[in-house]
Amino acid sequence: MNNVTINEIQRFSFDNSNVRGERVLLNDAYQEIIKRKAYPLSLEKLLGEFVAAIALLRDIVKIDGVLSIQAKGHGFLSTLMTECDEHQNLRGIAQWDDSQEVPEVISLQEVLKGGYLAITIQPRNGQRYQGIVEIIGDSLSECLEQYFSQSEQLPSRVWLAANGAQCGGLFLQRLPAEQAKEGDEDAWDRLTHLASTVKEDELLGLETSELLHRLYHEEEVRLYDTKVMQFGCSCSRQRTLDAVMSLGAEEIRELLIEQGSVKVDCQFCAEKYEFTEDDLIDSLGDQGQTH
């Protein structure tokens, strides 16, 4: 399966229980993200986990808008961010101090010292919501489980993996007790215990139906339709121009004098935008003239 292009997320549930789940597996959508920058392999893996995580969260949070996960801290990794919109477009980026040696194995707590995880829900129409989670433990999975415990107060478990070619994730959540099958009170403990046996090569190398059969061949698992995900950046010339205009007339005029134009590269997709004095003069008025 490793040579097959697959960028999908799929929901599943266990008949007559109050446990639901999701599985995501991405290859070229993930590769489109990490190829935009020369990442060390360990950062490719960590960014891949964040990409898989935002895909899982986006399918749970039903909004017409953008969901993002951003990690910030005071270690060598200053920022790591992934986003997904309602059309299953994914993008992400990591920024780090390249004067420091990047470890081959990354502990999230070490590289984001004193940091936090911000999960932001931005509807197209409506109020922005942000949940803040302290970075605990060594993994993104632990942080996300804490987030679900705080925000939804529903027990949740997350397994994530990435290897520079593929990234994937598995998610289980226990819904309110009234949805449980009578006499199957140990379903949550049983199903999470079985999921905990999953290996990285299984999470990254098996189709969802095969993975779930391997984990739950004695359970009644119901699979739902798959959703296709892809790399997609929300930048545009107009949005970039709006960002340039927010600098203010004086700073823009100085840039025009020094450089002859204002150049902006999108950090997510590496698209290059250039604005000349003629492009900016209508918005700046007389303040934009450099001679």
Side-chain angles (χ1 to χ4, degrees), residues 39-48 76 102-106:
Y39 293 108
L41 180 58
S42 56
L43 280 183
E44 287 184 351
K45 292 179 178 180
L46 183 59
L47 183 54
F76 83 89
V102 178
E104 293 184 3
V105 178
I106 289 181

Side-chain angles (χ1 to χ4, degrees), residues 3-290:
N3 295 323
V4 177
T5 297
I6 185 167
N7 299 283
E8 294 179 344
I9 189 165
Q10 190 167 18
R11 283 191 165 203
F12 59 90
S13 61
F14 299 90
D15 286 355
N16 302 312
S17 84
N18 62 333
V19 181
R20 67 175 180 180
E22 291 183 333
R23 193 286 178 97
V24 65
L25 181 60
L26 308 166
N27 47 31
D28 62 343
Y30 162 48
Q31 292 167 31
E32 282 291 325
I33 292 173
I34 61 176
K35 79 177 187 180
R36 309 281 164 170
K37 199 169 183 178
Y39 293 108
L41 180 58
S42 56
L43 280 183
E44 287 184 351
K45 292 179 178 180
L46 183 59
L47 183 54
E49 291 187 10
F50 272 74
V51 172
I54 195 62
L56 290 171
L57 264 66
R58 185 62 186 81
D59 203 52
I60 297 166
V61 180
K62 301 296 184 183
I63 61 161
D64 183 16
V66 178
L67 181 70
S68 66
I69 303 175
Q70 184 174 15
K72 295 185 73 70
H74 305 292
F76 83 89
L77 182 61
S78 57
T79 302
L80 198 155
M81 182 178 183
T82 54
E83 288 184 349
C84 187
D85 66 16
E86 69 272 29
H87 303 296
Q88 286 80 51
N89 292 313
L90 296 158
R91 68 176 191 168
I93 191 171
Q95 296 175 324
W96 73 99
D97 181 357
D98 56 13
S99 68
Q100 298 188 39
E101 183 177 353
V102 178
E104 293 184 3
V105 178
I106 289 181
S107 160
L108 196 65
Q109 194 172 52
E110 289 181 1
V111 300
L112 288 163
K113 291 179 181 178
Y116 63 88
L117 202 68
I119 298 175
T120 305
I121 300 170
Q122 181 63 70
R124 299 293 179 195
N125 298 296
Q127 188 172 0
R128 178 175 177 268
Y129 168 80
Q130 187 173 74
I132 304 295
V133 182
E134 181 183 358
I135 292 177
I136 61 169
D138 292 329
S139 71
L140 175 59
S141 295
E142 292 174 85
C143 294
L144 292 176
E145 288 168 3
Q146 183 189 28
Y147 168 77
F148 280 109
S149 176
Q150 292 177 355
S151 66
E152 297 193 11
Q153 298 181 338
L154 293 173
S156 306
R157 293 293 310 277
V158 183
W159 295 264
L160 300 168
N163 60 10
Q166 295 148 306
C167 66
L170 181 66
F171 172 83
L172 292 180
Q173 187 170 68
R174 184 171 65 184
L175 298 173
E178 59 266 20
Q179 298 183 33
K181 175 184 175 183
E182 185 176 352
D184 195 15
E185 297 178 357
D186 68 338
W188 173 250
D189 291 337
R190 182 178 72 252
L191 297 172
T192 53
H193 173 73
L194 291 169
S196 296
T197 67
V198 70
K199 299 179 176 61
E200 180 176 308
D201 60 345
E202 295 173 331
L203 201 55
L204 298 177
L206 298 178
E207 293 185 358
T208 300
S209 57
E210 186 179 356
L211 175 66
L212 295 179
H213 177 73
R214 185 169 296 190
L215 293 174
Y216 300 119
H217 59 277
E218 294 184 354
E219 305 288 341
E220 296 180 18
V221 183
R222 185 180 300 273
L223 282 167
Y224 300 92
D225 292 341
T226 60
K227 294 180 181 178
V228 177
M229 312 198 79
Q230 61 279 322
F231 168 77
C233 190
S234 58
C235 75
S236 68
R237 185 171 178 83
Q238 184 58 52
R239 292 185 65 177
T240 306
L241 176 60
D242 292 343
V244 170
M245 298 308 301
S246 69
L247 296 174
E250 183 176 349
E251 186 170 348
I252 292 172
R253 186 165 56 83
E254 290 176 358
L255 288 170
L256 289 171
I257 293 171
E258 293 173 4
Q259 304 175 11
S261 64
V262 178
K263 298 178 181 179
V264 180
D265 296 349
C266 177
Q267 296 181 0
F268 287 95
C269 71
E271 183 73 24
K272 299 181 184 297
Y273 297 97
E274 182 174 6
F275 303 96
T276 65
E277 182 176 346
D278 289 341
D279 294 326
L280 299 168
I281 199 68
D282 288 342
S283 299
L284 292 176
D286 293 340
Q287 297 180 76
Q289 296 180 359
T290 57

